[in-house]
């Protein structure tokens, strides 16, 4: 609820950027720690993280431009210069970057996807806290006791109690991380942990969209993210089914 946390001389530390940075650092630390534990290449994890993060920022911004395309045509620099991002654009671009890297280095993408899936979820959890501090990705108006009123200067409407969808999303992301860590200890099939991440995140994102009130684009009766969520869930189901078919062939 306070995006400008403090200043050091001319440098202002923003809550959104700080949470994104913390999420990235925790993601990389967790990934490299677990790589060593699972006898995978730590340097490959670091490379994948760097390339995927860079591609993710670009992809998240590009999808935001597509969602806000009419506004982009009117004032391109205003849209490009905002803090607006669409998470799914980042996930898709980041995964594609990881696939290309693994293909080039002759590594198993699914092994590293399984390894990094919990790290991705925890990074998203921190990112959503950043959204809460900035006031973006806000929910509908509510009379419930847990409604949050944002101050002037936030992206959210000021002075109106809103559903804290950012914190609900953050809690969901951290819960997904915990589930994936537990599941990965017992699953012996490569690709299943990554598939479970896609399944849980896709379902969670589809549901949370019903509570949001910010302008985020539509595809028919669905929000853009709900439409993409359906595709993500279908991919996850397809990954699980492929593994099951191999088991019986």
């Amino acid at each position: 609820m306070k995006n400008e946390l403090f200043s050091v001389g001319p440098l202002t530390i923003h809550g959104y950027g700080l949470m994104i940075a913390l999420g990235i650092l925790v993601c990389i630390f967790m990934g490299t720690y677990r790589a060593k534990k699972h006898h995978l290449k730590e340097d490959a994890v670091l490379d994948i993280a760097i390339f995927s993060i860079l591609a993710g920022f670009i992809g998240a911004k590009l999808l935001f431009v597509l969602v806000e395309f009419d506004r982009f045509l009117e004032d391109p620099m205003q849209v490009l210069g905002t803090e607006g991002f669409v998470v799914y654009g980042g996930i898709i671009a980041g995964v594609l970057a990881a696939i290309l890297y693994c293909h080039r280095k002759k590594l198993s993408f699914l092994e590293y996807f399984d390894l990094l899936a919990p790290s991705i979820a925890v990074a998203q959890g921190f990112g959503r806290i950043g959204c809460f501090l900035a006031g973006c990705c806000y929910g509908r108006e509510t009379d419930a006791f847990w409604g949050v009123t944002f101050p002037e200067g936030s992206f959210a409407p000021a002075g109106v109690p809103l559903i804290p969808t950012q914190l609900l999303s953050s809690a969901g992301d951290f819960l997904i991380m915990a589930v994936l860590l537990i599941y990965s200890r017992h699953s012996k099939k490569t690709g299943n942990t990554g598939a479970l991440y896609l399944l849980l995140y896709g379902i969670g994102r589809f549901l949370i969209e019903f509570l949001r009130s910010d302008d985020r684009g539509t595809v028919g009766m669905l929000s853009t993210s709900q439409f993409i969520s359906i595709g993500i869930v279908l991919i996850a189901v397809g990954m699980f089914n492929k593994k099951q078919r191999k088991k019986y062939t």
Side-chain angles (χ1 to χ4, degrees):
M1 293 181 54
K2 183 179 169 121
N3 196 26
E4 295 186 2
L5 297 180
F6 57 90
S7 297
V8 180
L11 178 65
T12 300
I13 305 300
H14 292 84
Y16 183 80
L18 179 62
M19 288 299 109
I20 292 292
L22 283 175
I24 290 172
L25 289 175
V26 174
C27 173
I28 292 174
F29 175 80
M30 181 187 294
T32 53
Y33 172 79
R34 297 185 70 241
K36 185 176 182 179
K37 190 175 179 180
H38 290 80
H39 308 293
L40 293 175
K41 296 181 178 180
E42 295 175 63
D43 57 340
V45 168
L46 185 58
D47 289 343
I48 289 170
I50 291 172
F51 288 123
S52 295
I53 289 166
L54 292 174
F57 274 112
I58 295 171
K61 177 59 76 173
L62 285 176
L63 188 52
F64 178 73
V65 169
L66 289 176
V67 169
E68 299 288 338
F69 195 67
D70 290 341
R71 193 153 62 91
F72 173 75
L73 292 178
E74 295 176 2
D75 191 350
M77 295 311 299
Q78 195 279 329
V79 173
L80 292 173
T82 66
E83 295 181 352
F85 294 94
V86 177
V87 171
Y88 264 134
I91 293 174
I92 294 169
V95 168
L96 289 176
I99 290 173
L100 290 174
Y101 175 87
C102 290
H103 177 74
R104 184 175 180 83
K105 296 293 183 178
K106 295 180 171 53
L107 300 173
S108 169
F109 164 73
L110 289 180
E111 283 186 353
Y112 284 89
F113 188 33
D114 284 346
L115 179 79
L116 290 171
S119 301
I120 296 170
V122 76
Q124 290 175 310
F126 277 101
R128 286 304 181 190
I129 295 175
C131 291
F132 178 73
L133 293 174
C136 60
C137 308
Y138 52 87
R140 300 197 315 255
E141 291 186 29
T142 180
D143 293 326
F145 72 93
W146 45 281
V148 174
T149 302
F150 289 86
E152 294 288 345
S154 298
F155 287 98
V160 181
L162 303 174
I163 299 173
T165 47
Q166 311 95 327
L167 297 183
L168 294 176
S169 296
S170 179
D173 289 328
F174 289 131
L175 179 60
I176 289 173
M177 175 205 67
V179 171
L180 293 178
L181 287 175
I182 295 170
Y183 179 79
S184 64
R185 296 174 187 169
H186 305 285
S187 176
K188 303 301 180 184
K189 297 183 179 67
T190 303
N192 273 10
T193 302
L196 183 60
Y197 161 74
L198 294 176
L199 181 68
L200 294 177
Y201 184 79
I203 292 173
R205 184 60 188 270
F206 186 90
L207 295 176
I208 203 73
E209 287 290 301
F210 287 113
L211 302 178
R212 284 177 58 170
S213 184
D214 56 316
D215 184 18
R216 58 205 181 281
T218 58
V219 179
M221 296 179 63
L222 302 174
S223 72
T224 303
S225 292
Q226 283 179 318
F227 181 76
I228 297 174
S229 291
I230 293 173
I232 294 296
V233 169
L234 291 176
I235 290 172
V237 171
M239 290 173 68
F240 277 121
N241 286 340
K242 185 177 180 180
K243 295 295 176 183
Q244 288 300 319
R245 285 198 302 270
K246 284 187 176 182
K247 178 180 177 181
Y248 295 107
T249 57

